[in-house]
Amino acid sequence: MTLKACKKEEKMDREFQRKFKFEGSINVLTQMMVDPAATEKRGGAKNLPLRRGEILDVIQFTNQEQILCRNSQRRYGYVPQAVMLPL
């Protein structure tokens, strides 16, 4: 990975920690897939855009309804637990 890409990732991680008030290091708990039958949704202020069949890294199980996830573009946001499938 180039130095420029590494700095960009660090910046995105710091921005995530500030926006979501996340303390400590960012660890991936598991990976889950968005249900292929789910409707695609655009992201919001703190919600991650959903694409059918996309594999997401789970950062934190926040509550029974939402999961804090990261997608392949290193964008962070909440995803409804109802549309997630375990791998």
Side-chain angles (χ1 to χ4, degrees):
M1 189 171 7
T2 65
L3 181 63
K4 186 176 181 179
C6 187
K7 287 189 180 220
K8 184 177 178 181
E9 283 185 8
E10 287 177 11
K11 181 181 177 185
M12 291 178 79
D13 290 346
R14 283 192 308 270
E15 185 177 304
F16 155 74
Q17 289 176 326
R18 180 186 52 77
K19 184 175 181 180
F20 290 92
K21 296 179 177 76
F22 191 84
E23 304 256 335
S25 62
I26 300 169
N27 297 322
V28 176
L29 301 176
T30 186
Q31 289 187 325
M32 296 180 86
M33 181 175 72
V34 177
D35 188 357
T39 58
E40 294 188 5
K41 295 182 182 179
R42 294 177 58 165
K46 289 191 175 183
N47 294 326
L48 200 58
L50 295 179
R51 289 187 295 157
R52 294 179 188 148
E54 183 178 24
I55 306 293
L56 300 175
D57 296 330
V58 175
I59 306 299
Q60 184 180 37
F61 291 97
T62 55
N63 58 33
Q64 294 293 332
E65 298 170 4
Q66 292 185 325
I67 303 172
L68 185 57
C69 295
R70 174 176 68 193
N71 65 10
S72 59
Q73 291 88 33
R74 294 193 69 84
R75 295 185 64 204
Y76 295 89
Y78 292 112
V79 176
Q81 191 165 353
V83 299
M84 299 299 286
L85 301 173
L87 289 179

